[in-house]
Amino acid sequence: MAYELHYWPTIQGRGEFVRLALEAAGADYVDVARGTHDGEGGLMGRLRDADDPRPPFAPPFLVADGMTIGQTAAILLFLGPRLGLAPTSEVDRLWAHQLQLTVTDFVVEIHDTHHPLGPSFFYEDQEPEAKRRAEDFRRTRMPKFLGYFERVHARNPAPGGFMVGAELSYVDLSMFQLVSGLGYAFPKAMRRLEPTIPGLIGLHDRVANLPRIAAYLESDRRIPFSVEGIFRHYPDLDG
Amino acid sequence: MAYELHYWPTIQGRGEFVRLALEAAGADYVDVARGTHDGEGGLMGRLRDADDPRPPFAPPFLVADGMTIGQTAAILLFLGPRLGLAPTSEVDRLWAHQLQLTVTDFVVEIHDTHHPLGPSFFYEDQEPEAKRRAEDFRRTRMPKFLGYFERVHARNPAPGGFMVGAELSYVDLSMFQLVSGLGYAFPKAMRRLEPTIPGLIGLHDRVANLPRIAAYLESDRRIPFSVEGIFRHYPDLDG
């Protein structure tokens, strides 16, 4: 039975970390809100479903085997072994999940560069605050997170150049997405940082060239980056 | 062998969600940075340990069975079954973890009420921004998250009044901590919201009266709330 992915139909957002895993594995899945004409309406209906004993807090959520699973990192924890995108040992599975949770933390901070006052205000209502937060993000937080992931990549004792163990995992796909998204949102800052993260840049390029990922990126299933998602290119916030 | 918890020695912070689980289970553990005279120094040393192949990004982290495990929710995912504080079925274990990840999201937003411009600036350098973010937090985000958890509590089909299944789990302990912390940080807003979350308030009170938790709260192992941690009482941010 096909996996059902439920996410906002017009942005990559957090759903993209799940889409990349489904695509890399060639999994049978339906991107539900994109395929139905009520799009966001259907998604909101599910979120408000008063009968679900395990209601998700927010998209993305996955429906599989009669279960509804929310939270990006939890979805990947569940999908990883089924899609052949998780390490086999328990220790490394927990380690991959721990890295994914640090991706989650980073994604919040990336989002907060354009929404420092929170999700209730438009970007246009918090531009000076966004500028101040983004400047600090580029100077301290972006190098800190990327430097951490670069260190993890360099310390992986297994061959193959992956983040965890000797095989591709969902963590590698998430690194691809972070490098792509930051390159779109903060091109100047990324150009300056790139020489310090050769391992991540190499990994990004190898993931982009995996046959299934390359085909996905060419297809219209890959929603383009825009100023609606997590990674937004506002020239005022780069530098 | 005793569990080693590594966390900032002077605040409850994210470490408290782990401490509560260890205390509720009567587990043998050492709160390492609080017991050593170099406190934060030792903690920073471990974070910078260049030999660790699985380095944590930030505290808290747990050392157990030769593994170092970072990320609060991952620590609880690991500890839950060992401490008898997780459901037994796989479906409910994933559900408990999913709820804990939503606690993590809520904790970020609670923290950001006093740090909307990020962790690099002092509160004193972002007071007007904090006021604006906190007002929206009290009006929209706090009712949204608490309302969600109240709904989850109400929909749990099992008897006992717990969040997941019919037994105490780490999710219940986290609900206790959220209700306590929000009551400290936002007493006025909490007083207004309390009538809408009777399930969570009742759960908070029952957890506070569990013999081990009651003894812990009376002990000096429980660090008092202060204006240093996640939950901070700044009268300007309440209302």
Side-chain angles (χ1 to χ4, degrees):
Chain A
M1 208 183 68
Y3 294 108
E4 283 183 22
L5 173 64
H6 296 257
Y7 195 64
W8 308 115
T10 58
I11 58 168
Q12 290 184 18
R14 287 174 172 81
E16 194 65 12
F17 296 94
V18 181
R19 273 195 206 103
L20 284 168
L22 292 164
E23 292 283 348
D28 186 15
Y29 80 102
V30 186
D31 203 334
V32 180
R34 296 192 69 194
T36 52
H37 54 82
D38 62 346
E40 293 201 6
L43 191 64
M44 292 309 294
R46 266 203 99 100
L47 277 178
R48 295 200 187 106
D49 176 2
D51 294 327
D52 190 341
R54 298 186 189 91
F57 180 73
F61 53 91
L62 186 85
V63 177
D65 303 348
M67 293 197 289
T68 305
I69 305 161
Q71 287 285 354
T72 310
I75 297 172
L76 291 171
L77 179 71
F78 170 83
L79 277 180
R82 295 169 168 239
L83 300 181
L85 288 171
T88 44
S89 78
E90 272 311 305
V91 178
D92 271 345
R93 269 194 196 170
L94 193 60
W95 171 229
H97 183 55
Q98 185 182 323
L99 290 172
Q100 194 64 41
L101 291 176
T102 305
V103 170
T104 303
D105 289 346
F106 194 20
V107 164
V108 173
E109 295 202 22
I110 293 164
H111 175 270
D112 285 359
T113 58
H114 47 79
H115 277 73
L117 298 185
S120 305
F121 302 104
F122 290 112
Y123 170 64
E124 289 68 25
D125 295 327
Q126 47 186 313
E127 280 189 55
E129 294 83 4
K131 221 168 152 173
R132 218 169 133 203
R133 176 143 192 170
E135 191 190 342
D136 178 64
F137 173 80
R138 297 191 315 267
R139 198 163 40 192
T140 71
R141 306 301 290 174
M142 193 167 150
K144 185 179 161 97
F145 276 98
L146 289 176
Y148 171 75
F149 289 127
E150 177 72 18
R151 221 153 48 237
V152 167
H153 181 268
R155 286 189 197 173
N156 180 3
F162 298 108
M163 290 296 286
V164 180
E167 310 267 0
L168 182 76
S169 75
Y170 60 78
V171 183
D172 301 302
L173 303 171
S174 293
M175 290 302 125
F176 161 80
Q177 180 66 2
L178 286 177
V179 170
S180 308
L182 290 169
Y184 164 77
F186 301 100
K188 290 181 187 167
M190 250 331 235
R191 212 167 304 131
R192 251 194 335 272
L193 272 171
E194 267 185 25
T196 67
I197 52 165
L200 296 183
I201 299 295
L203 178 59
H204 165 275
D205 296 350
R206 288 200 314 283
V207 168
N209 287 315
L210 293 171
R212 282 180 184 140
I213 294 294
Y216 167 62
L217 296 175
E218 285 295 305
S219 76
D220 60 6
R221 299 192 304 286
R222 171 80 164 182
I223 301 166
F225 285 113
S226 73
V227 288
E228 298 294 328
I230 290 161
F231 300 101
R232 303 191 184 186
H233 179 54
Y234 292 123
D236 276 358
L237 302 189
D238 191 19
Chain B
M1 209 183 68
Y3 293 108
E4 283 183 24
L5 173 64
H6 295 258
Y7 195 64
W8 309 115
T10 57
I11 58 168
Q12 290 184 17
R14 287 172 172 81
E16 194 65 12
F17 296 94
V18 181
R19 272 194 207 105
L20 284 168
L22 293 163
E23 292 283 346
D28 186 15
Y29 79 102
V30 186
D31 203 334
V32 181
R34 294 192 70 194
T36 53
H37 53 86
D38 63 346
E40 294 201 6
L43 192 63
M44 292 310 293
R46 266 203 101 101
L47 277 177
R48 295 199 187 106
D49 176 3
D51 295 326
D52 190 342
R54 298 186 189 91
F57 181 73
F61 52 92
L62 186 84
V63 177
D65 302 348
M67 293 197 290
T68 304
I69 305 161
Q71 287 285 355
T72 310
I75 297 171
L76 292 170
L77 180 71
F78 169 83
L79 278 180
R82 296 169 169 241
L83 300 181
L85 288 171
T88 45
S89 78
E90 273 311 305
V91 178
D92 272 345
R93 270 192 197 173
L94 193 60
W95 171 230
H97 183 55
Q98 186 182 322
L99 290 172
Q100 194 64 39
L101 291 176
T102 305
V103 170
T104 303
D105 289 347
F106 194 20
V107 163
V108 173
E109 295 202 23
I110 293 165
H111 176 269
D112 285 359
T113 58
H114 47 79
H115 276 73
L117 298 186
S120 306
F121 301 104
F122 289 111
Y123 169 66
E124 289 68 24
D125 295 327
Q126 47 187 313
E127 280 189 54
E129 294 83 5
K131 220 169 153 172
R132 218 168 133 202
R133 177 146 192 168
E135 190 189 344
D136 178 65
F137 174 80
R138 296 191 316 264
R139 197 162 40 191
T140 71
R141 306 301 291 173
M142 194 167 149
K144 185 179 163 96
F145 276 98
L146 290 176
Y148 171 75
F149 289 127
E150 177 72 18
R151 222 154 46 239
V152 167
H153 181 267
R155 286 189 197 174
N156 180 3
F162 299 108
M163 290 295 286
V164 181
E167 310 267 358
L168 181 76
S169 75
Y170 61 78
V171 183
D172 300 301
L173 302 172
S174 293
M175 290 302 125
F176 160 80
Q177 180 66 1
L178 286 177
V179 170
S180 307
L182 291 168
Y184 164 77
F186 302 99
K188 290 181 188 167
M190 252 328 237
R191 211 166 305 131
R192 252 193 336 272
L193 273 170
E194 268 184 24
T196 68
I197 51 165
L200 296 183
I201 300 294
L203 178 59
H204 165 275
D205 297 349
R206 289 200 312 283
V207 168
N209 287 316
L210 293 171
R212 281 181 186 140
I213 294 293
Y216 166 62
L217 296 175
E218 285 295 306
S219 77
D220 60 7
R221 297 191 305 286
R222 171 80 164 183
I223 300 167
F225 285 114
S226 73
V227 287
E228 300 293 329
I230 291 161
F231 300 101
R232 302 191 185 185
H233 179 54
Y234 292 122
D236 276 358
L237 303 188
D238 192 20

